[in-house]
Amino acid sequence: MRAIFVGNFENDTRQSDLERLFSKFGKVDRVDMKTGFAFVYLDNDRDAEDAIHHLDDRPFGYDRRRLSVEWARGERGRERGHHLDGSKSVANQRPTKTLFVINFDPLRTRVSDIERHFDPYGKVLNVRIRRNFAFVQFDTQEEATKALAATHLSKILDRVVSVEYALRDDDERGERRYDSPRRGGYGRHVDSPYRRSPSPVYRRRPSPDYGRARSPAYGRYNGPVYDRRRSPDYGRNASPEYGRYRSRSPIRRSRT
DNA sequence: GTTGAGCGTT
C-alpha cells in the first residue's frame, strides 16, 4: 500500500474531509494529516491510481483550490513494511509512565481533549502540550503501557496520533539540574575553557511553533487570511514578537 | 507552494 500525497488544500481541511473524498475511490486505510498536506492510504493501489487521476488538480474545498494528488515521493511513501505510523520507527525502548503524543491537531487540540482521550486507561496525573506534541503522565507504568497500546494510532479530534513512551518520565525530570553547583564531581566535562557550546547548535528542523505565535513569515498570506470563514481572529496574532532571535542580523559585536 | 513536524520545564 503506497502513500498518496495530497497537497494544496485549505488549512482548515480536516482529515475526515480527505477521508470522505478518497473513499469514493476505495477503502481508505488511513489519512495522515500533516500541516498543509497529507498522506492518504487506500487499501488498493489500483484504487489509489484511480484516485490520483481523478483528484489531482481538482478544485476542492471552499476556496476551490486545486488539489495536488500524486504518489508520495520518498521511501516512506513506498511499500516498505508500513511503520508509517508517522513515527521514526525508533520508538522508545524504555517504558515510562509519561507518554509522548504527537500528530494531533496542534491548533484545535486542548489539554482537556487529550486528558479525556487517555483517561479511560488509568489515572492521568498530568497532561502538557508543547508545540505539536504532548506529554501524558500516568500514575503507574501499567496504566501507561495499557494506554499506549490503546491509543497509539487512535484519533484525537479527527487526527490519527502517535503515542510512544516519553524519553524522560515526568518524575525524573531534571532533579540533577540545579541540585547544587559543584557537589561531588561529575562536572569534568564542564570545565573546559570554552563555553558550553561554542558553535550555534543547529536547530533541528524549523518546526512550526504551534500554540505560540509565530511571527509573520509563518504561512504566507496568499490573500486575505482572516476571512476564510469562521472566526477571523483566533487570538494568536497577539504577541508580535515572540522570538528572542528577532535580530538575526550580523550585529555580533564581538566584545571589543 | 506543498512530500512525512519528533521529546518538555514547573
Side-chain angles (χ1 to χ4, degrees), chain A residues 6-18:
Chain A
V6 186
N8 203 41
F9 45 76
E10 294 161 43
N11 51 20
D12 58 350
T13 299
R14 311 213 215 181
Q15 179 165 318
S16 55
D17 296 328
L18 296 180

Side-chain angles (χ1 to χ4, degrees), chain A residues 220-232:
Chain A
R220 291 150 188 176
Y221 305 56
N222 269 3
V225 79
Y226 299 119
D227 63 357
R228 287 283 149 164
R229 69 175 183 138
R230 293 196 176 181
S231 37

